[in-house]
Amino acid sequence: MFSKLKIKGGRPKQTNSNTSELARREQRLAYTLLLPTFIILALIAFYPLGQVFYTSFTDKTFASGEKTHFIGFDNYKRLLSITIKELPPIIDEKTGKQKIDPRTGEKLYERAIRVLPRKPIRYRELTQFSLFGKRYVIGATDRDFIQAIWNTISFTVISVLAETILGLGIALVMNSNFKGRGIMRATMLVPWAVITVVSARIWEFMLAPSRIGFFNMIFEKLGIGDGNMVFLSNKSIALPTLIIVDVWKTTPFMALLILAGLQLIPKSIYEAAKVDGASPIRQFFSITLPLLKPSLAVALVFRTLDALRVFDIFQVLLAQKTYSMASYNYYQLIGNRAMGLASAIGVIIFIIIFGFAVLYMKLLGVDTE
Amino acid sequence: MRNKGLIEVIKKGLFWLLVIIIFIYLVFPFYWAINSSLKSEAQLQMTPATFVPRDPETYKFAPTLQNYRAVFSNDKFVRGLINSAIVSMLTTLLALAVGSVSAFALGKLRFKGKTLSLYLILAMTMFPQVTVLSGLYAVINHLGIKAIPSMILSYMLFTLPFTTWVMTSFFKSLPNELLQSAQVDGATPFQTFYKILLPLTAPALVTTGLLSFIAAWNEYLFALTFTSIEPTARTVPVAIALFTGEVSRQIPFGEIMAAAVIVTIPLVVLVLIFQKRIVAGLTAGAVKG
């Protein structure tokens, strides 16, 4: 059984009834072993998830007795409709040329609101850009959600990348033999062990916009800023700040999973490499990294999944100012009681996450077979 | 010769410098929480903030335990600690038991529909918690499950796919020769699983166990929902979130920080106990070559 079968499978065809009997038994065993997992998931996942799909096509209101109607793809249309329109230049009637702002010297264009469609739902301006001397505007029917998708994806990409690199570094240090390793391994998990909501509060306090906060206190001592820096309400630094908080919080997750993966690499391989005269860097790239790939891939998949669903820190630190996909979902469900719309958001998040997961498997060559 | 010794010393020094930097990076915000938890309301408002609690007038070292006293005299918090311990422990055990059995099948056995199973299990955890909440609540209500078991069951939504996937990748990385030699010795697949493979994946079991335990210990939204009609079953995150200032509606930062410290210390102790299990070289020597 097991790999023996694999070896046999690789040979020229062998019609051995014994083998197929074994294969059948192996298959039966596999299904039996998977059964408990699927029973639990059926119990807690199939109905709730099915309901999310169904509700996303209705106009259901949360916690109310109002009648629900089937509305097809309307929720999705409302959330995802995007349009790009060209902005016509404002022509000066006297010269026949485009008007120019006398103060900034910039060319003037028609206001976006006059170009974007209003029916059946009003489009709002998302952003503008110039291409080949023409000016375009991107409009969306649900500006906040599109912005939330963008926020979440950039948050995910940057923070997961940083966490992986930092986590790998920390894991490599923890993997070497030194005194006090045990204590370091325990402290390594401290950030992950602090309850998320509470760690958001700790950071909120450290980031306080006056010198009662640690960062303003230290920045002032170092001569940076005036001691009244606003980290969380300033739109341009809010997201980077959030990424720093998240990286601190979840690097241990990556580091521990990578460390466990490192433990599975037999030491004998390194000894052999040393005998052959491979440098540590060479050893890292030709032994550690390839052998670490499976555990690294799984860690990456779960970390990315989690980052795409980020909720707590957006909710606590940025309140309703900047949304992540999940906190926008929460706002629509609890704040607006738009359950149908919230379900559609859930489905869209699911699809985005699924896309990421498949991409990872392909890119990292995780063989699921 | 002397030169070589010097290089060694520099290397060692740099290594320890790195360890210290990592240590400070990981621990500092937690240290700040400890520091804040030992400050009174007036000390928390001091500008500039101080690295240790200091008296606002004399500037002498003056920590206070009043926040800890307040937290411990709050029986909702103490009960929350017990509830959290029960829920997280049972969640972890259930997820490990069920997940590692599946992971053995997914990592080492050959059967039809393996890819589909893996994706299906992963897909369960791809919805944001908020979205699943109402449906899950309906199921739990319909089955008439009490608050504590319902939390354990609903936490499976994120711990079970996680343990299954991580353990699958670990089982896969174990050499097949192990299984073959066991089979030659006449072991049934199940014996091979729990007598040979399971002990070898101890580091992975401990790692996933710790991560799942912490995830369950941290969970807030499900706990808040499922304990809404049974307040005695509230877990620690919910208890902390429901802290309110005694005087005004202002957030009691000192108390929240004290609670954070109290809640984190058991986990650090737990990791200290178990970290020996994440020991190097468990598989080394198990297989020749």
Side-chain angles (χ1 to χ4, degrees), chain A residues 1-7 26-27 29-31 33-34 36-38 40-41 43-49 51-53 166 170 173 176 178-179 182-198 201-206 211-212 214 217-218 247-249 253 256-257 260-261 263-264 267 295 298 301-302 305 309 329-330 333 339 342-343 346-347 349-350 353-354 357-358 361 367-369, chain B residues 15-16 18-19 22-23 25-30 32-33 36 44-49 51 98 101-102 104-106 108-112 114-115 117-128 130-132 134-136 138-139 143 153 156-157 160-162 165-166 169-170 172-173 176 179-180 183 189 207 211 214 218 220 236-237 240 251 253 257 260 263-264 267-268 271-272 275 278-281 283-284:
Chain A
M1 215 189 275
F2 308 130
S3 52
K4 239 188 192 170
L5 277 177
K6 264 185 202 157
I7 297 160
E26 188 170 332
Q27 183 144 324
L29 176 70
Y31 292 145
L33 296 179
L34 279 171
T37 297
F38 276 99
I40 291 180
L41 290 179
L43 205 62
I44 56 172
F46 288 176
Y47 173 76
L49 299 184
Q51 203 206 26
V52 171
F53 272 108
L166 262 174
I170 291 174
V173 170
S176 48
F178 62 93
K179 229 182 171 182
I183 292 168
M184 274 305 276
R185 282 190 183 163
T187 46
M188 178 175 107
L189 276 180
V190 165
W192 181 246
V194 181
I195 293 175
T196 318
V197 187
V198 173
R201 286 257 181 255
I202 296 178
W203 281 90
E204 186 184 23
F205 193 59
M206 286 173 70
R211 286 184 305 157
I212 65 167
F214 168 76
M217 181 265 281
I218 219 76
V247 167
W248 175 77
K249 169 93 181 109
F253 176 89
L256 190 66
L257 279 178
Q263 304 288 349
L264 281 179
K267 290 278 171 289
S295 12
V298 173
V301 167
F302 277 91
L305 230 101
R309 288 181 312 176
N329 187 354
Y330 182 84
L333 182 70
M339 193 169 171
S343 299
V347 174
I349 297 177
F350 169 80
I353 292 180
F354 199 83
V358 173
M361 317 282 188
D367 59 321
T368 43
E369 263 313 313
Chain B
F15 179 80
W16 278 103
L18 192 62
V19 170
I22 292 175
F23 183 83
Y25 170 71
L26 291 172
V27 170
F28 188 79
F30 187 63
W32 201 253
S36 310
L44 283 171
Q45 298 302 329
M46 268 164 78
T47 51
F51 277 94
V98 176
V101 168
S102 293
F104 169 58
L106 292 165
K108 279 287 175 238
L109 300 182
R110 281 155 41 102
F111 62 95
K112 268 188 210 129
K114 190 191 277 187
T115 311
S117 309
L118 270 165
Y119 274 98
L120 213 56
I121 292 170
L122 191 64
M124 298 301 156
T125 192
M126 287 180 180
F127 283 86
V130 191
T131 329
V132 197
S134 69
L136 196 56
V139 173
L143 297 174
L153 202 60
M156 287 299 128
L157 209 53
L160 196 51
F162 174 69
W165 266 72
V166 176
S169 92
F170 278 107
K172 241 188 226 160
S173 65
N176 283 321
L179 305 175
Q180 287 169 340
Q183 208 200 349
T207 307
L211 291 175
I214 294 173
N218 274 334
Y220 172 68
V236 147
I240 294 179
I251 304 165
F253 259 113
M257 294 306 129
V263 164
T264 309
L267 295 181
V268 175
V271 178
L272 265 176
Q275 64 83 20
I278 324 173
V279 146
T283 44

Side-chain angles (χ1 to χ4, degrees), chain A residues 254-293:
Chain A
M254 287 303 270
L256 190 66
L257 279 178
I258 294 171
L259 179 63
L262 285 173
Q263 304 288 349
L264 281 179
I265 303 173
K267 290 278 171 289
S268 51
I269 300 183
Y270 290 103
E271 280 151 27
K274 237 184 223 162
V275 172
D276 292 343
S279 69
I281 293 168
R282 179 79 199 277
Q283 284 177 34
F284 175 75
F285 282 104
S286 17
I287 302 174
T288 312
L289 221 47
L291 285 175
L292 199 60
K293 211 166 80 174

Side-chain angles (χ1 to χ4, degrees), chain B residues 5-282:
Chain B
L6 191 66
I7 289 172
E8 274 310 300
V9 169
I10 292 174
K11 261 190 186 167
K12 238 192 173 153
L14 284 178
F15 179 80
W16 278 103
L17 189 69
L18 192 62
V19 170
I20 290 166
I21 291 172
I22 292 175
F23 183 83
I24 292 174
Y25 170 71
L26 291 172
V27 170
F28 188 79
F30 187 63
Y31 166 74
W32 201 253
I34 298 176
N35 175 25
S36 310
S37 73
L38 295 171
K39 288 178 176 178
S40 66
E41 194 54 46
Q43 286 169 316
L44 283 171
Q45 298 302 329
M46 268 164 78
T47 51
T50 52
F51 277 94
V52 289
R54 287 189 189 284
D55 191 279
E57 255 127 65
T58 60
Y59 220 62
K60 274 189 187 135
F61 180 59
T64 166
L65 286 175
Q66 69 181 48
N67 292 318
Y68 286 88
R69 253 178 255 131
V71 168
F72 271 120
S73 64
N74 180 344
D75 17 296
K76 281 175 201 144
F77 178 78
V78 179
R79 208 182 300 137
L81 270 179
I82 300 168
N83 288 333
S84 272
I86 296 171
V87 170
S88 313
M89 207 141 62
L90 294 176
T91 301
T92 308
L93 290 177
L94 186 63
L96 281 183
V98 176
S100 61
V101 168
S102 293
F104 169 58
L106 292 165
K108 279 287 175 238
L109 300 182
R110 281 155 41 102
F111 62 95
K112 268 188 210 129
K114 190 191 277 187
T115 311
L116 182 71
S117 309
L118 270 165
Y119 274 98
L120 213 56
I121 292 170
L122 191 64
M124 298 301 156
T125 192
M126 287 180 180
F127 283 86
Q129 284 192 338
V130 191
T131 329
V132 197
L133 201 58
S134 69
L136 196 56
Y137 190 77
V139 173
I140 301 281
N141 243 352
H142 181 77
L143 297 174
I145 304 174
K146 280 193 169 268
I148 288 195
S150 70
M151 278 187 271
I152 296 169
L153 202 60
S154 58
Y155 291 0
M156 287 299 128
L157 209 53
F158 51 89
T159 49
L160 196 51
F162 174 69
T163 44
T164 308
W165 266 72
V166 176
M167 291 307 292
T168 301
S169 92
F170 278 107
F171 276 124
K172 241 188 226 160
S173 65
L174 289 180
N176 283 321
E177 289 84 347
L178 273 176
L179 305 175
Q180 287 169 340
S181 52
Q183 208 200 349
V184 170
D185 292 343
T188 66
F190 200 69
Q191 279 173 329
T192 319
F193 169 61
Y194 78 82
K195 284 204 170 139
I196 297 167
L197 293 183
L198 218 47
L200 280 178
T201 43
L205 274 176
V206 173
T207 307
T208 35
L210 281 174
L211 291 175
S212 307
F213 186 92
I214 294 173
W217 185 265
N218 274 334
E219 205 286 329
Y220 172 68
L221 199 59
F222 285 170
L224 180 69
T225 314
F226 293 125
T227 57
S228 58
I229 40 168
E230 217 180 305
T232 51
R234 272 181 193 149
T235 55
V236 147
V238 182
I240 294 179
L242 296 177
F243 276 3
T244 41
E246 272 175 26
V247 194
S248 57
R249 292 203 299 168
Q250 168 189 36
I251 304 165
F253 259 113
E255 282 176 40
I256 290 179
M257 294 306 129
V261 175
I262 297 166
V263 164
T264 309
I265 284 170
L267 295 181
V268 175
V269 172
L270 198 74
V271 178
L272 265 176
I273 295 170
F274 277 103
Q275 64 83 20
K276 283 218 170 85
R277 292 266 148 213
I278 324 173
V279 146
L282 263 177

Side-chain angles (χ1 to χ4, degrees), chain A residues 24-295:
Chain A
R24 250 201 311 268
R25 267 187 21 213
E26 188 170 332
Q27 183 144 324
R28 245 195 331 263
L29 176 70
Y31 292 145
T32 319
L33 296 179
L34 279 171
L35 199 61
T37 297
F38 276 99
I39 289 175
I40 291 180
L41 290 179
L43 205 62
I44 56 172
F46 288 176
Y47 173 76
L49 299 184
Q51 203 206 26
V52 171
F53 272 108
Y54 174 75
T55 312
S56 74
F57 294 106
T58 68
D59 61 354
K60 191 169 174 154
T61 317
F62 183 56
S64 96
E66 277 169 57
K67 247 195 161 179
T68 301
H69 308 92
F70 187 82
I71 53 166
F73 280 95
D74 282 6
N75 286 327
Y76 293 94
K77 271 188 215 145
R78 207 210 110 169
L79 288 166
L80 296 175
S81 292
I82 290 181
T83 182
I84 299 178
K85 294 269 178 213
E86 194 192 325
L87 282 179
I90 301 176
I91 306 291
D92 198 321
E93 278 171 20
K94 287 178 221 148
T95 58
K97 280 185 181 168
Q98 186 174 359
K99 264 191 183 171
I100 286 171
D101 191 312
R103 268 175 309 166
T104 59
E106 277 174 33
K107 290 177 180 170
L108 288 178
Y109 292 93
E110 210 56 81
R111 283 173 60 210
I113 203 168
R114 301 187 54 181
V115 184
L116 290 170
R118 287 152 176 255
K119 280 173 187 175
I121 325 170
R122 202 173 130 203
Y123 283 79
R124 285 162 193 279
E125 178 182 341
L126 200 61
T127 184
Q128 292 187 13
F129 65 95
S130 296
L131 195 70
F132 300 123
K134 282 181 178 169
R135 188 125 182 116
Y136 297 90
V137 59
I138 304 179
T141 48
D142 195 329
R143 187 169 54 180
D144 287 342
F145 184 59
I146 303 291
Q147 194 65 50
I149 296 180
W150 174 247
N151 290 341
T152 312
I153 290 182
S154 37
F155 169 86
T156 301
V157 170
I158 300 170
S159 63
V160 171
L161 189 71
E163 284 155 25
T164 310
I165 295 168
L166 262 174
L168 187 62
I170 291 174
L172 285 169
V173 170
M174 299 296 169
N175 195 37
S176 48
N177 218 340
F178 62 93
K179 229 182 171 182
R181 186 168 65 164
I183 292 168
M184 274 305 276
R185 282 190 183 163
T187 46
M188 178 175 107
L189 276 180
V190 165
W192 181 246
V194 181
I195 293 175
T196 318
V197 187
V198 173
S199 104
R201 286 257 181 255
I202 296 178
W203 281 90
E204 186 184 23
F205 193 59
M206 286 173 70
L207 292 164
S210 71
R211 286 184 305 157
I212 65 167
F214 168 76
F215 285 101
N216 269 314
M217 181 265 281
I218 219 76
F219 279 10
E220 206 223 2
K221 275 191 182 164
L222 296 173
I224 313 167
D226 55 356
N228 291 310
M229 228 160 126
V230 185
F231 293 97
L232 295 167
S233 333
N234 182 336
K235 278 216 161 168
S236 56
I237 50 173
L239 206 59
T241 307
L242 221 60
I243 289 172
I244 291 171
V245 175
D246 188 68
V247 167
W248 175 77
K249 169 93 181 109
T250 42
T251 297
F253 176 89
M254 287 303 270
L256 190 66
L257 279 178
I258 294 171
L259 179 63
L262 285 173
Q263 304 288 349
L264 281 179
I265 303 173
K267 290 278 171 289
S268 51
I269 300 183
Y270 290 103
E271 280 151 27
K274 237 184 223 162
V275 172
D276 292 343
S279 69
I281 293 168
R282 179 79 199 277
Q283 284 177 34
F284 175 75
F285 282 104
S286 17
I287 302 174
T288 312
L289 221 47
L291 285 175
L292 199 60
K293 211 166 80 174
S295 12

